[in-house]
Amino acid sequence: MEFEQFCNFLPKIELHAHLNGSLSATSLQKLGCSNEEISEYQKLAELQATEKTLNECFKLFKVAHNATKNPQAVYLATKYVIEDFYNDNVAYLELRTTPREEENMSRVEYIESVVKAIEDCDKKIIVKLLLSIDRSNNLKVEENMEVIIKMKEKYPHVIKGVDFSGNPYVGGFNPKLFQKARDSGLFVTLHCAEIKNDKEVEEILKFRPDRIGHGTFLLSNDHIWKLYLDTNIPLECCLTSNVACGTTKSYKEHHLQEWIKNSLPFTLCTDDKGVFGTTLSKELVLACQYFSLKPTDLWDMTLKTISYTFASDEEKTFLTTTLQDWKMKNHF
Ligand code: 6MZ
């Protein structure tokens, strides 16, 4: 099997995908966006990144947010994104999204639309939901967390965790808030060190989330790096996102190499496949091109990733069997 084909057909696991950043151009079109809006949403993929690019990136999500302002549109957006991942042979997807209140939609309606689209999915893909707290919107964080916890009690089979995301130049981490989530039985994954912010990173590592996203600047300080090494927390690695946003200079210099070199836990993710013009298969190909990973390494990484998911034991066993059967069938 050709190498790219291998990456494409491997049953994959996606653990870091933001719903409104994962919409493809076709999906945005179906949701009523104009060609101009779609070009705006996708402009980062074409640009040479600078230090300011990450900050600029957060404006682009507005295009998708404008297209998902009512329950029906949120339902369809979720359905389209799940179909895209399924078509890329993703076997297990943890989709994350920020519950949003709009003129014609409450946060509860937003969440219920996403849950319904997940429940209605008839494809062979397991989908779970993580609800995000947006760090740049500090006004209602407590209230948002209350809603998330209530919704988890109502849909425990779908809602598995919380995420802390949004523009890292704004706001800060509140351990008490996330402890509440943890006490309610939610898993916790936190965006961490996407930019240099040692004080916050130290607080996050002391909290010991179940996973961290990005981790780009964990290596910029020996003390922080040592703290991280003590935790052994799995990293959700988003190669193209980091390069497109300018937080990493190039694929070649990406911090993933330190995880590979030191056998630290990581998994490859897309972040916002619509905004960055990528797919999970492409991310796997890139990791191989730049860090000399072989197909067997990718298979091993995927197998290890099963233990980083927020799936049930039964689902983990199912995924393990799926991967093992695939390996046998494809003789490698
Ligand atoms: C931090 C990000 C992000 O939640 O409306 N988001 N947060 N770093 C990133 N790196 C590029 N990419 C996306 O999806 C879009 C939202 O996800 C978060 C931002 O809060 C963005 O508004 P949802 O479905």
Side-chain angles (χ1 to χ4, degrees), residues 19-270:
L19 172 61
N20 280 282
S22 297
L23 285 161
S24 66
T26 316
S27 304
L28 285 175
Q29 214 165 27
K30 287 199 258 182
L31 291 167
C33 286
S34 65
N35 289 342
E36 289 72 32
E37 286 170 315
I38 295 170
S39 308
E40 172 69 13
Y41 176 78
Q42 294 185 320
K43 77 174 184 194
L44 273 200
E46 317 295 325
L47 286 182
Q48 184 70 38
T50 69
E51 275 156 26
K52 289 199 185 123
T53 310
L54 177 61
N55 220 350
E56 289 297 302
C57 175
F58 293 93
K59 296 181 191 154
L60 310 183
F61 298 113
K62 287 210 175 75
V63 172
H65 289 156
N66 283 337
T68 54
K69 283 192 167 204
N70 60 69
Q72 175 66 2
V74 172
Y75 175 88
L76 287 175
T78 310
K79 181 175 177 287
Y80 298 151
V81 167
I82 294 173
E83 281 169 5
D84 285 349
F85 279 109
Y86 169 77
N87 290 333
D88 191 29
N89 293 311
V90 170
Y92 177 89
L93 165 66
E94 278 177 19
L95 198 57
R96 58 185 72 191
T97 195
T98 323
R100 212 166 359 104
E101 196 168 37
E102 297 285 352
E103 212 179 347
N104 295 314
M105 176 173 63
S106 66
R107 280 165 298 185
V108 168
E109 284 173 319
Y110 182 98
I111 297 170
E112 294 198 320
S113 305
V114 178
V115 170
K116 182 151 178 28
I118 292 174
E119 286 178 337
D120 287 354
C121 173
D122 57 2
K123 306 263 184 290
K124 271 178 79 182
I125 175 171
I126 301 174
V127 186
K128 303 292 170 191
L129 180 61
L130 314 181
L131 294 168
S132 307
I133 293 284
D134 182 356
R135 58 182 299 147
S136 68
N137 179 5
N138 212 9
L139 288 176
K140 293 187 171 173
V141 278
E142 301 278 347
E143 212 180 297
N144 286 343
M145 190 58 95
E146 292 301 322
V147 174
I148 291 173
I149 290 170
K150 271 209 189 98
M151 288 291 98
K152 188 255 171 193
E153 281 159 12
K154 194 163 174 194
Y155 303 104
H157 55 296
V158 177
I159 300 172
K160 294 289 160 189
V162 282
D163 157 54
F164 177 55
S165 53
N167 188 340
Y169 291 102
V170 188
F173 175 61
N174 174 351
K176 278 197 190 134
L177 187 72
F178 284 87
Q179 189 57 44
K180 265 193 201 161
R182 183 172 266 171
D183 294 343
S184 313
L186 284 155
F187 289 100
V188 179
T189 177
L190 306 171
H191 280 58
C192 173
E194 193 174 9
I195 58 168
K196 187 163 167 58
N197 184 348
D198 291 346
K199 192 167 162 280
E200 179 181 280
V201 172
E202 194 163 341
E203 277 168 6
I204 288 180
L205 293 176
K206 282 195 178 135
F207 180 82
R208 297 210 173 217
D210 299 289
R211 298 196 307 252
I212 56 170
H214 299 292
T216 316
F217 288 85
L218 287 172
L219 275 146
S220 67
N221 169 331
D222 284 347
H223 168 67
I224 297 279
W225 183 237
K226 251 186 100 195
L227 271 184
Y228 171 70
L229 291 178
D230 284 345
T231 66
N232 213 34
I233 297 171
L235 176 83
E236 300 157 358
C237 172
C238 310
L239 292 170
T240 297
S241 162
N242 298 152
V243 173
C245 290
T247 50
T248 308
K249 284 202 189 96
S250 64
Y251 287 108
K252 204 172 151 215
E253 291 160 273
H254 196 279
H255 50 286
L256 173 62
Q257 59 194 290
E258 292 301 319
W259 269 255
I260 295 172
K261 200 165 79 192
N262 297 297
S263 302
L264 297 169
F266 73 91
T267 187
L268 297 170
C269 310
T270 52

Side-chain angles (χ1 to χ4, degrees), residues 7-18:
C7 293
N8 188 359
F9 290 122
L10 179 72
K12 292 175 284 294
I13 296 183
E14 168 67 77
L15 299 186
H16 189 129
H18 298 270

